[in-house]
Amino acid sequence: MSVERKIEQVFDSLSPSQKKAAYFLTKDIRQAAVLPAKKMGELAGVSEATVHRLAQTLGFEGYAALQSELQSQFLQARPVQRLLETAQEEQATWLDELFAQDIDNLRETAALKQEAKVEEAVRLLLGAERTYTAGWRAGLAVTAPLAYIMHYMLGQARLVPQGEAAEYAAHFRPGDVLLVSGFPRYCQTTRHLTEAAKEKGARIVALTDSPVSPFAKLADVYLLAATRSRGFLDSYVAPLALANALIKKMAQLDLERVKRNMVEMERKFRMFETESSGWTGPNGKGTTK
């Protein structure tokens, strides 16, 4: 069983300080795999003793055993990573550094090996009577294109407007699926909507950053993405990559349905584009594209 899964199972029973250490660990497993317990405690805002107690609570003999497990999960490619970092140091610019961080987020997200969970999430979405997406502020970078593309592919997906969250919350029902984007600072409106959907019997798919995030705990299926940034805002490159993975898997699992909807959608595009352009063609009889 992975360390993240162990943390997820015991998280509710942890002390407040142990929860802080566990959250730090799930957010930055690569650092936890190499940091001394004292330094990890400082970064997490807890004591060194708390870090050792957390390791024991997770079933390890001590922090060293926990680190050994983390290293076996995530550090196999570390020599290659060091080589890349060394090469980047020589001529690094701020733009190089920004792209390098996004690449690191993508690499870390890919290392989680979430293929089975992506398929599970997609099967929920394909089987839904009604599909909704929610996640505002910066989360719209993920949910807005997802809603559009899923509607284009499946013919039934809707982005919940933030100003109408209460109205939508009242009308969820079993058979619905809500896909949420939930990253720090964990939008409370998105959380309340997710809780309402869950209470109404809808299924929840969450894109989030940690197995102990509030959205992971509400979800039937959650997918994790790293969002660290060298700027002042989080990076949504890895969450968007996960969204692309969902889209690709939808096409693989229900090709005929997707093809049928896309053919009809393209036919409508041509009709509306021709009408709105005002172009009647060289002979005055209209044209199609």
Side-chain angles (χ1 to χ4, degrees):
M1 184 185 299
S2 70
V3 174
E4 302 100 305
R5 182 62 178 160
K6 289 180 180 180
I7 289 174
E8 184 182 358
Q9 288 184 343
V10 304
F11 188 78
D12 288 339
S13 65
L14 298 177
S15 68
S17 58
Q18 285 178 328
K19 286 181 178 179
K20 289 176 69 175
Y23 183 74
F24 174 84
L25 192 155
T26 60
K27 280 281 291 179
D28 204 339
I29 286 180
R30 284 189 179 178
Q31 277 208 72
V34 296
L35 287 175
K38 182 178 180 180
K39 184 62 175 178
M40 178 178 163
E42 290 174 0
L43 293 173
V46 301
S47 68
E48 180 180 356
T50 296
V51 175
H52 287 290
R53 284 195 295 270
L54 173 63
Q56 293 168 349
T57 301
L58 295 176
F60 296 96
E61 186 174 339
Y63 183 65
L66 170 60
Q67 277 198 317
S68 178
E69 176 63 23
L70 293 176
Q71 290 166 4
S72 70
Q73 287 183 222
F74 289 94
L75 299 184
Q76 295 93 336
R78 191 163 181 78
V80 176
Q81 174 66 18
R82 285 175 175 161
L83 174 63
L84 293 173
E85 290 173 351
T86 301
Q88 289 167 357
E89 285 174 0
E90 294 182 2
Q91 296 182 342
T93 67
W94 68 268
L95 191 58
D96 294 329
E97 292 173 353
L98 185 148
F99 287 152
Q101 180 63 72
D102 282 337
I103 291 168
D104 196 48
N105 285 340
L106 288 168
R107 186 180 291 115
E108 183 175 333
T109 302
L112 296 174
K113 302 296 184 186
Q114 299 179 95
E115 291 89 343
K117 295 181 77 171
V118 167
E119 180 167 340
E120 185 181 359
V122 167
R123 290 192 183 280
L124 279 180
L125 292 164
L126 290 174
E129 293 180 12
R130 301 183 301 177
T131 305
Y132 300 94
T133 69
W136 301 290
R137 299 193 178 100
L140 278 170
V142 179
T143 54
L146 255 181
Y148 173 78
I149 294 170
M150 286 197 298
H151 189 69
Y152 176 66
M153 295 172 65
L154 305 178
Q156 55 89 16
R158 186 175 301 176
L159 174 66
V160 178
Q162 185 171 10
E164 299 176 30
E167 290 87 339
Y168 277 79
H171 296 289
F172 285 117
R173 64 188 185 218
D176 293 344
V177 174
L178 174 64
L179 189 156
V180 296
S181 171
F183 294 90
R185 296 180 285 183
Y186 302 131
C187 173
Q188 289 302 304
T189 304
T190 308
R191 182 174 178 175
H192 293 325
L193 183 76
T194 306
E195 290 169 342
K198 190 83 171 177
E199 290 172 1
K200 293 280 190 174
R203 308 294 293 277
I204 309 298
V205 174
L207 305 183
T208 189
D209 67 314
S210 166
V212 295
S213 84
F215 293 98
K217 298 173 79 63
L218 288 168
D220 295 280
V221 183
Y222 65 82
L223 299 168
L224 301 178
T227 58
R228 284 189 296 278
S229 171
R230 293 182 182 270
F232 58 92
L233 296 174
D234 285 346
S235 167
Y236 280 77
V237 170
L240 277 169
L242 273 183
N244 284 335
L246 291 172
I247 291 162
K248 180 177 178 63
K249 199 64 180 180
M250 285 178 199
Q252 290 178 343
L253 293 181
D254 204 346
L255 179 60
E256 288 305 313
R257 176 184 174 188
V258 171
K259 179 181 176 182
R260 185 172 61 249
N261 282 311
M262 288 178 65
V263 167
E264 177 62 17
M265 192 71 76
E266 289 297 328
R267 191 177 70 83
K268 295 299 185 186
F269 281 158
R270 288 193 295 272
M271 180 181 74
F272 278 88
E273 287 172 1
T274 301
E275 289 182 353
S276 63
S277 69
W279 170 245
T280 59
N283 55 9
K285 295 182 179 180
T287 185
T288 59
K289 297 180 181 180

